[in-house]
Amino acid sequence: MKGMSTCTSDHKFGRHKPAPTFFMALFVALQPGIALAAGVIEETQKQNTDWTAIIMFTIFVGASLWITKWAAKRTRSAADFYTAGGGITGFQNGLAIAGDFMSAASFLGISAAVMATGFDGLIYAIGFQVGWPLITFMLAERLRNLGRFTFADVVAYRLQQVPVRIFAASGTLVVVLFYLIAQMVGAGQLIKLLFGLDYHYAVVIVGLLMMAYVLFGGMTATTWVQIIKACLLLGGASFMAFMVMAQYGFSPEKLFTAAVGIKKSAAIMGPGGFVKDPVSAISLGIALMFGTAGLPHILMRFFTVPDAREARKSVLWATTWIGYFYILTFIIGFGAIVFVSTNPEFLDANGVLRGGGNMAAVHLANAIGGNIFLGFMSAVAFATILAVVAGLTLSGASAVAHDLYASALKKGTASSSEELKISKLTTVALGIIAMFLGIVFEKQNVAFMVSLAFAIAASANFPALILSVLWKGCTTRGAVAGGFTGLLAALVMTMLSDAVWVATLGNPPGSAPFPYSSPAIFSMPLAFLCIWVVSICDQSPQAQKEREAFADQKIRSETGLGAFKPTAH
């Protein structure tokens, strides 16, 4: 305790205002985990520049641009652009998936939730984590064996190409756009705070960097940016957790006992009322767990490995790193109870945490490492944004170029060079749209957009994907009708919930027609039911052919016979 107190006193809170303010803006804008409980984003003011953060930020951007230059030499075909030629190892892909999935926002959000509610704060971490065994045992191997570039390849394997790919591209683009808006708003606030630039210029800078990475480096550059980001985030969080545990002789029991003593209640060590009602709690769990298995930029990563064995290995490594990361956030949250909530330097005159409750991990980083460590975590946060945005842009480009242009419009006759050209044009278009929407939504509540992305992934993409692979009776009409039903249901219910109806549209509190925080508990079963009913009722000759083709699909999905081979370099 004494050592930590010394460290804290050496790094006064007042000297580090820019970095903590950045974290506050970033957290509210980007939260993929606690988006459902977020408030309205407030406009941040330009701050004095944090030169430590800027130096580390510049080093990262320079290193990632060098990676892009290196990757550009290896990106010669559509396969290279979408999947890095299928030459990423299972270990590398596992780290990249972890880098694509973990975020500085969930790091801050979960640790803040643990500080505020103790054990209950883990609801999001558990929700995200339990989605991965589902992917491991039911999807990873089949995705790699049946698909080539997108999850639509898997759904359309025995079904009609055009309607299935139109649906899949629609679901992908909706998820990607909602995700991109939240990422761009947060990224713009970050650059605005670090450099003192106007918000509009900040958004344009981030958009241009994003386009450069994806346009020239494709999946190879995106993968290595994600790997580096995962290592930085895991390293930073590990250091924080290590320093917290060191103060208690690496005894979790002593740490928890101290936290209970400070909170003056053992209730923080048990479940409570973190989510307002059971229906919202179950719905949130469904969205987090099954949404993970329906996110297009996550599913796309399984096509970057050479075979199904490496796909399974990549999920194993991803689950390991993500699980370890969430254990760290738990330790950091309890460390914040002990070292932040008791330190007057981090509290205002009313005894409330400076900068808001979401600043718990930031103040703990300040106490442990001072300005240099805050600068490092700022660079990590920006790395997080680039990694996620690049992955999203790439999955959106593949949906347009591969699913809509090459497969639906050209009926498979487009050359690799034509498809690659369309992919790059789509990347530019998505970059421009993302910059425009980032500017438009500067002062809006964008938190619901990420939660909506998870709900749509669980309600539209996942039911169509899992039933097309595992159920012989699934037909084109069923998959398309059910997928669009889930997508529209999730959209409508979210628009009628408090997050949009009240917080964004300005209607009176309590007037929202949909009373729950997440629509997944209603929209996902509705999608499954619609797929089942329409498929059962579909007795057309085409439907019969699709059912007969299931045996061949099953053999390929489980053995890999006929699966696409990696591109040789």
Side-chain angles (χ1 to χ4, degrees), residues 26-75:
L26 178 72
F27 168 79
V28 179
L30 300 183
Q31 39 203 319
I34 66 172
L36 301 175
V40 178
I41 291 182
E42 295 180 359
E43 184 182 9
T44 57
Q45 301 298 319
K46 290 189 288 183
Q47 305 290 324
N48 295 327
T49 53
D50 183 341
W51 288 105
T52 305
I54 290 175
I55 290 170
M56 294 187 178
F57 165 88
T58 305
I59 291 172
F60 172 77
V61 170
S64 54
L65 286 173
W66 181 86
I67 290 171
T68 302
K69 181 181 177 182
W70 165 77
K73 299 175 182 177
R74 303 166 60 91
T75 305

Side-chain angles (χ1 to χ4, degrees), residues 396-409:
S398 67
V400 173
H402 181 63
D403 294 335
L404 293 181
Y405 176 77
S407 300
L409 184 62

Side-chain angles (χ1 to χ4, degrees), residues 346-370:
F346 302 132
L347 306 175
D348 62 20
N350 298 320
V352 178
L353 209 61
R354 288 179 183 264
N358 302 325
M359 301 289 287
V362 180
H363 292 318
L364 186 61
N366 189 12
I368 290 171

Side-chain angles (χ1 to χ4, degrees), residues 215-265:
L215 272 178
F216 300 109
M219 180 58 85
T220 304
T222 299
T223 296
W224 283 102
V225 168
Q226 289 166 342
I227 289 173
I228 292 171
K229 168 261 164 137
C231 293
L232 290 173
L233 185 56
L234 286 169
S238 296
F239 176 74
M240 292 178 70
F242 177 87
M243 293 298 290
V244 168
M245 294 303 297
Q247 304 302 312
Y248 288 95
F250 298 98
S251 170
E253 183 180 359
K254 292 181 180 178
L255 173 62
F256 297 152
T257 301
V260 169
I262 291 168
K263 288 284 189 178
K264 296 181 173 58
S265 172

